[in-house]
Amino acid sequence: MHKIAIDMMGTDLGIAPIIDALKVFVKKYSDVFFVLVGDKAAIKEGLNNKKIDPSRYEILHTSEVIAMTEGMMEVRRKPDSSMVRSAELLANDKVEAFVSGGSTAAYLSACHFIIGELEGINRPAFMPFIPTIKKGKSVMMLDVGANLENNARDLVNFALMATVYAKVIMNLNNPTVGLLNIGHEESKGKDYHKEAYKMLQGNNNINFYGNIEPRDITSNIVDIIVTDGFTGNVALKTLEGMAKNLMAVLKQELTKNIFRKLKALSLRKAFRGVRETFDYRNNASALMLGLKKVAVKTHGSSDAKSWISTLEMTRKAVINDFVKKIEAEIKKGV
Amino acid sequence: MHKIAIDMMGTDLGIAPIIDALKVFVKKYSDVFFVLVGDKAAIKEGLNNKKIDPSRYEILHTSEVIAMTEGMMEVRRKPDSSMVRSAELLANDKVEAFVSGGSTAAYLSACHFIIGELEGINRPAFMPFIPTIKKGKSVMMLDVGANLENNARDLVNFALMATVYAKVIMNLNNPTVGLLNIGHEESKGKDYHKEAYKMLQGNNNINFYGNIEPRDITSNIVDIIVTDGFTGNVALKTLEGMAKNLMAVLKQELTKNIFRKLKALSLRKAFRGVRETFDYRNNASALMLGLKKVAVKTHGSSDAKSWISTLEMTRKAVINDFVKKIEAEIKKGV
């Protein structure tokens, strides 16, 4: 039985969607035991009448909560918060993974101070899975916001770690890596881009494609895209916003009058196809790569569907002993 | 009669779309005279049978061309290129504006070395007009690629210049300015973001909205978005790519079988509405703000429709004596 801790507190939508996800998850998979960390009374109330097999979880009561708006200092100020206690369970090997939907700043701080980075990794990275034009095929992009700035060596480490993930967890044979940049040519970008280009090209453990332009993030050209955290965050949020706004304009046009509405209704399967291709709810979570243990972060506004995919991603990372394999690769790659 | 020079060479699609645009433009507006700069024989051939009033243009023959793939050094190496000669016409006040669809690197170099920046402006900026969810309403974002890096002072200058543009050319009363950043809070981003936030907030000539997240670039929240050139370029290209890919997936879904095709055909007006809202061809050009004169850059792959909107934008900047007004504002704002 694999053990996963869930930080139950501090999300936008409360405990309910996590419990709903758990109910589905424990029926589907028999090999995971959960430690639900947070306010015991609230969690018990949430579990009430849900009929989740009690042998599949335990509750660890904590008295403090780090709110969504609170920052990294809260990790020091609130030692009995659900986030800190969850991270400690992981650091002390009481569980094999830790998942949270709470404050990103506090999460980053908990990961750094309580769990710690692998040797050779100065900067861990958030890695989400971004939908592409090819249905069911996503691209891994990292970092998308764990860091504000990264150097060339960080980007190479990101490429190495994601390559291991792609091979071990996604069974991709020889995953390709693109460097997010403002042009195809090797000479494009800032100094660290040019340096990273050379290092990526020269590394035998990385199947380097070259620069990839932002307009091709979702074009299914590479398996992995590496970037500094600030740029990655901007690109990811720009994608999300454009997908949302374009679908909103489409909806507006299709519901302009009753004739359009009726016709559009008869095409609802087609529109569902588009929405599903670019549904960011299926991809709300991000692995934190570069830590000594498996840590996963999901959006604070994740619904049950998002939480299920988050828990599935966490399980995969755990049962494949993913961090050990990354550790070995980093030692080789450096 | 206002005089505008057009660099006729070095674009992806050749002379034809420019001539087609000219034909439409000279019929619509009677107050502009064009100097067509480039290979005389090629331009004459392009003009053949187009019946464009010969009193509305002259041809300035040049013997060299800077190719799309060539860089900034070409501006020194090719003194008789169409781009260099066009820029010189502007620098020497033979024309009031200069438009090019050629190599961006060479264009930036020509603007800097031949035309020069306004006093107080260290970094000029490319400013395109980005479509938003509100039909017909675009947001001005700058810089989107004239610079790799910018400091807080640059961003304030961008805000001042774009504010003048919005007031003078777009007749907006009190245009709002957002700072592109990875979160709403003042504390977000790199040091220069925090510094720019304070400076923008404290400047009486700027109606500062606060930080704007990348997911809201197209949400019609502000009139102007300021950012460093690298980030702006990434955001702009990410938007373009997502719009293109989402429409491609939509098309794929709607043409999956004959039934869907027929239904979709009956909704073509609705889809056209969406495409027109987010049509980047209507917005292929960018003003170069911060120069001593009016310079406009359009995509190398601009079609006639793009060229028309480019020439219209150029005309507006010229007849409103836009650069003088910017100059005055910068003097006040510094």
Side-chain angles (χ1 to χ4, degrees):
Chain A
M1 205 65 136
H2 298 285
K3 271 193 177 179
I4 296 174
I6 304 181
D7 169 13
M8 300 292 285
M9 315 302 285
T11 67
D12 294 330
L13 302 180
I15 287 169
I18 315 180
I19 305 263
D20 289 341
L22 272 178
K23 192 175 158 73
V24 175
F25 188 93
V26 297
K27 278 191 185 154
K28 196 167 171 188
Y29 304 99
S30 57
D31 53 1
V32 179
F33 179 91
F34 290 97
V35 183
L36 311 180
V37 186
D39 183 78
K40 194 166 192 166
I43 296 171
K44 277 200 154 176
E45 202 195 312
L47 286 164
N48 199 17
N49 291 325
K50 291 290 179 178
K51 293 181 186 156
I52 301 176
D53 179 355
S55 74
R56 301 292 299 281
Y57 67 85
E58 67 185 33
I59 299 171
L60 175 66
H61 177 70
T62 56
S63 61
E64 294 176 301
V65 177
I66 296 177
M68 203 46 136
T69 50
E70 290 183 312
M72 49 183 303
M73 298 308 293
E74 264 27 67
V75 167
R76 293 270 161 105
R77 287 187 196 124
K78 294 183 173 173
D80 197 38
S81 60
S82 54
M83 194 186 280
V84 170
R85 289 288 181 231
S86 304
E88 284 173 352
L89 287 177
L90 181 56
N92 300 326
D93 290 324
K94 305 289 185 199
V95 296
E96 292 167 73
F98 141 56
V99 185
S100 176
S103 153
T104 302
Y107 182 85
L108 287 170
S109 168
C111 285
H112 175 69
F113 289 112
I114 302 171
I115 299 165
E117 289 82 24
L118 285 170
E119 211 186 308
I121 300 291
N122 291 319
R123 305 279 190 161
F126 274 135
M127 182 178 80
F129 298 78
I130 297 171
T132 72
I133 42 167
K134 192 174 166 192
K135 210 168 184 168
K137 173 73 168 69
S138 48
V139 58
M140 294 172 261
M141 186 158 81
L142 69 169
D143 174 38
V144 299
N147 308 283
L148 272 180
E149 291 179 88
N150 291 106
N151 60 28
R153 181 69 245 169
D154 293 339
L155 298 191
V156 173
N157 284 339
F158 295 169
L160 287 169
M161 294 192 290
T163 296
V164 176
Y165 186 89
K167 284 181 181 170
V168 171
I169 313 264
M170 306 188 75
N171 297 313
L172 294 178
N173 197 15
N174 195 15
T176 49
V177 176
L179 173 63
L180 191 67
N181 205 338
I182 52 171
H184 273 120
E185 304 87 339
E186 191 176 340
S187 62
K188 288 281 177 172
K190 305 185 188 185
D191 287 344
Y192 75 88
H193 290 110
K194 295 172 205 170
E195 200 187 335
Y197 192 103
K198 281 201 181 68
M199 288 168 79
L200 289 163
Q201 202 170 37
N203 194 309
N204 292 326
N205 298 304
I206 294 167
N207 182 9
F208 185 51
Y209 166 84
N211 287 335
I212 185 136
E213 288 203 72
R215 65 167 61 93
D216 284 325
I217 294 171
T218 60
S219 300
N220 189 31
I221 291 177
V222 292
D223 301 306
I224 297 158
I225 297 174
V226 293
T227 169
D228 69 276
F230 184 88
T231 305
N233 194 277
V234 167
L236 180 67
K237 285 179 178 164
T238 303
L239 284 177
E240 287 179 5
M242 190 61 183
K244 193 170 150 257
N245 283 345
L246 218 150
M247 291 309 280
V249 169
L250 180 64
K251 195 178 172 181
Q252 201 181 303
E253 286 286 341
L254 290 174
T255 54
K256 223 172 194 169
N257 58 50
I258 185 72
F259 305 105
R260 283 191 181 181
K261 264 189 203 167
L262 287 172
K263 286 177 200 161
L265 206 62
S266 72
L267 279 167
R268 61 190 179 280
K269 272 191 186 166
F271 298 123
R272 201 182 301 143
V274 179
R275 262 199 310 276
E276 276 171 11
T277 303
F278 287 112
D279 187 354
Y280 285 87
R281 275 187 312 159
N282 288 332
N283 304 274
S285 52
L287 260 171
M288 183 81 174
L289 292 191
L291 299 176
K292 285 181 185 154
K293 320 265 172 170
V294 177
V296 175
K297 174 80 177 62
T298 186
H299 277 192
S301 57
S302 291
D303 59 12
K305 195 178 169 193
S306 296
W307 273 98
I308 293 170
S309 75
T310 303
L311 295 177
E312 286 182 329
M313 181 210 271
T314 312
R315 175 180 171 271
K316 269 192 189 172
V318 165
I319 63 176
N320 286 290
D321 209 358
F322 165 60
V323 170
K324 283 266 153 45
K325 286 165 189 162
I326 285 207
E327 202 171 3
E329 196 66 18
I330 293 294
K331 272 185 190 152
K332 270 202 302 180
V334 172
Chain B
M1 203 65 136
H2 298 285
K3 270 193 178 180
I4 296 174
I6 305 180
D7 169 12
M8 300 292 285
M9 315 302 285
T11 67
D12 294 332
L13 301 182
I15 287 169
I18 314 179
I19 304 263
D20 289 340
L22 272 178
K23 192 176 159 71
V24 175
F25 189 93
V26 298
K27 277 191 186 154
K28 196 165 170 187
Y29 305 98
S30 57
D31 53 1
V32 179
F33 179 90
F34 289 97
V35 182
L36 311 180
V37 185
D39 183 79
K40 194 164 191 170
I43 296 171
K44 278 201 153 175
E45 203 195 310
L47 286 164
N48 199 18
N49 292 325
K50 292 289 180 182
K51 294 181 187 155
I52 301 177
D53 179 354
S55 74
R56 300 293 298 283
Y57 66 86
E58 66 185 32
I59 299 172
L60 175 66
H61 177 70
T62 55
S63 61
E64 293 175 301
V65 177
I66 296 178
M68 204 47 141
T69 50
E70 291 183 312
M72 51 184 298
M73 298 307 293
E74 263 27 69
V75 168
R76 293 271 161 104
R77 288 189 196 122
K78 294 182 173 172
D80 197 37
S81 61
S82 54
M83 194 185 281
V84 170
R85 289 288 180 232
S86 306
E88 283 172 353
L89 287 176
L90 181 56
N92 300 328
D93 290 324
K94 305 290 184 198
V95 296
E96 293 169 72
F98 139 57
V99 186
S100 176
S103 152
T104 302
Y107 181 85
L108 288 170
S109 168
C111 286
H112 175 68
F113 289 111
I114 302 171
I115 300 165
E117 289 81 26
L118 286 169
E119 211 185 308
I121 300 292
N122 291 317
R123 303 281 190 161
F126 273 134
M127 182 177 81
F129 298 77
I130 298 171
T132 73
I133 44 167
K134 189 171 168 196
K135 211 168 184 165
K137 173 76 167 69
S138 48
V139 59
M140 291 172 264
M141 184 158 83
L142 68 168
D143 174 39
V144 299
N147 307 284
L148 272 178
E149 290 178 88
N150 291 105
N151 61 28
R153 181 69 244 170
D154 294 339
L155 298 191
V156 173
N157 284 339
F158 295 169
L160 287 169
M161 294 192 289
T163 295
V164 176
Y165 187 90
K167 284 181 181 170
V168 171
I169 312 264
M170 307 188 75
N171 298 314
L172 293 178
N173 197 14
N174 195 13
T176 49
V177 176
L179 173 63
L180 190 67
N181 206 338
I182 52 173
H184 274 120
E185 304 88 339
E186 191 176 340
S187 62
K188 287 282 177 172
K190 305 186 188 185
D191 288 342
Y192 75 88
H193 291 110
K194 296 171 204 169
E195 200 188 333
Y197 192 105
K198 282 201 180 70
M199 289 169 77
L200 289 164
Q201 202 168 37
N203 193 309
N204 292 328
N205 298 305
I206 295 167
N207 183 9
F208 185 50
Y209 165 86
N211 287 335
I212 184 132
E213 288 204 71
R215 66 166 61 91
D216 285 325
I217 295 171
T218 60
S219 299
N220 189 30
I221 291 176
V222 292
D223 301 306
I224 297 159
I225 297 175
V226 293
T227 169
D228 70 275
F230 185 88
T231 305
N233 193 276
V234 167
L236 179 67
K237 286 181 178 162
T238 303
L239 284 176
E240 287 180 3
M242 191 60 180
K244 193 171 151 252
N245 282 344
L246 217 149
M247 292 308 280
V249 168
L250 180 63
K251 193 175 175 185
Q252 201 181 302
E253 285 287 341
L254 291 174
T255 54
K256 224 175 194 169
N257 57 50
I258 186 73
F259 305 107
R260 284 192 181 179
K261 265 188 204 170
L262 288 171
K263 288 177 200 161
L265 205 63
S266 73
L267 280 167
R268 61 188 179 280
K269 272 191 187 167
F271 297 122
R272 201 182 302 143
V274 179
R275 261 200 310 274
E276 275 170 12
T277 304
F278 287 113
D279 187 354
Y280 284 88
R281 275 186 313 161
N282 287 333
N283 304 271
S285 53
L287 259 172
M288 184 81 174
L289 292 189
L291 298 176
K292 285 182 186 154
K293 320 265 171 165
V294 177
V296 175
K297 174 76 178 67
T298 185
H299 276 193
S301 56
S302 291
D303 57 13
K305 196 177 168 192
S306 297
W307 272 98
I308 293 169
S309 73
T310 303
L311 295 177
E312 286 182 330
M313 179 208 273
T314 311
R315 176 180 170 272
K316 268 191 189 172
V318 166
I319 63 177
N320 286 290
D321 209 358
F322 164 60
V323 170
K324 283 264 153 48
K325 285 163 189 163
I326 285 206
E327 202 170 2
E329 195 67 16
I330 293 295
K331 273 185 190 151
K332 271 200 302 180
V334 172

